[in-house]
Amino acid sequence: TPVHDDSCIEYPPDSLATLVDVLDWHADRHGDRLLITIESERSATTQLSYARLRTDALAVAAGLIERGCGAGDAVAVMLPTGSEFFAAFYGALYAGCVPVPLYPPARLTQLEDHLQRSAGILCNAEARLLITVIQAKPLAHLLRARCETLDAVATWARGARAAEPGARPLRGVRAREAKGA
């Protein structure tokens, strides 16, 4: 087991005000450093660096902006815990949006209860967009029918990265600044 020497770790200044500021600070100073290791149920392991998270989040932010999402808009994220969830969450922040995390349905036997709770959260947050996995798209459309503010459902493979192909990543420019907010 490697020994970590905390005396060598440089910590971000207290003046950083947001999660995006902190991610940018880390990505700029040691982007290749491991941020998180995610283990899935299938024993697959994903390692996510600061730079990879920022790159993925900026691509999501560009897609959100292309969809018309911006400062203060609620974007629901119904993805399993993994690199896609973190990219969507931080992408919403980079776009100036408010991420609204939702658990994906765990059991089909509790689908109605999950649908009711999630619809309540979406309505309370006044979410405009829901990013989810393709398997949950039928559920997402039922949620859309129960929440007036929910304009669209985007699946991870297609919608969360709506800016691709051919889109330019925002390379160091915060989406909310690029939009003039």
Side-chain angles (χ1 to χ4, degrees):
T1 306
V3 176
H4 297 286
D5 181 6
D6 286 344
S7 65
C8 297
I9 296 175
E10 183 182 6
Y11 292 98
D14 291 339
S15 61
L16 299 180
T18 68
L19 289 172
V20 169
D21 292 338
V22 174
L23 177 58
D24 285 341
W25 185 91
H26 282 289
D28 289 341
R29 281 161 185 75
H30 43 256
D32 292 336
R33 185 180 289 169
L34 178 64
L35 169 62
I36 190 168
T37 300
I38 304 161
E39 294 187 26
S40 74
E41 296 172 4
R42 297 178 302 269
S43 300
T45 300
T46 302
Q47 295 190 328
L48 188 61
S49 70
Y50 290 100
R52 177 83 260 158
L53 175 56
R54 179 167 65 177
T55 298
D56 291 348
L58 288 172
V60 172
L64 291 172
I65 290 169
E66 280 190 11
R67 288 179 165 272
C69 295
D73 289 335
V75 174
V77 180
M78 186 189 294
L79 295 168
T81 303
S83 58
E84 295 87 2
F85 171 83
F86 292 108
F89 186 92
Y90 273 89
L93 293 175
Y94 273 110
C97 299
V98 178
V100 179
L102 296 170
Y103 285 108
R107 296 184 189 115
L108 290 177
T109 57
Q110 298 174 340
L111 196 55
E112 181 59 34
D113 183 48
H114 183 273
L115 184 67
Q116 187 172 344
R117 271 195 323 267
S118 295
I121 293 168
L122 291 169
C123 289
N124 285 338
E126 297 180 357
R128 288 193 52 207
L129 176 70
L130 170 63
I131 301 171
T132 190
V133 293
I134 199 158
Q135 297 88 338
K137 197 162 185 176
L139 171 66
H141 286 296
L142 292 172
L143 289 170
R144 191 171 174 201
R146 293 183 179 200
C147 182
E148 293 179 6
T149 62
L150 194 58
D151 295 332
V153 174
T155 59
W156 177 255
R158 212 170 34 109
R161 296 183 180 250
E164 297 176 11
R168 297 175 318 278
L170 298 178
R171 300 196 195 279
V173 176
R174 292 217 174 86
R176 61 181 173 265
E177 294 166 0
K179 193 173 181 178

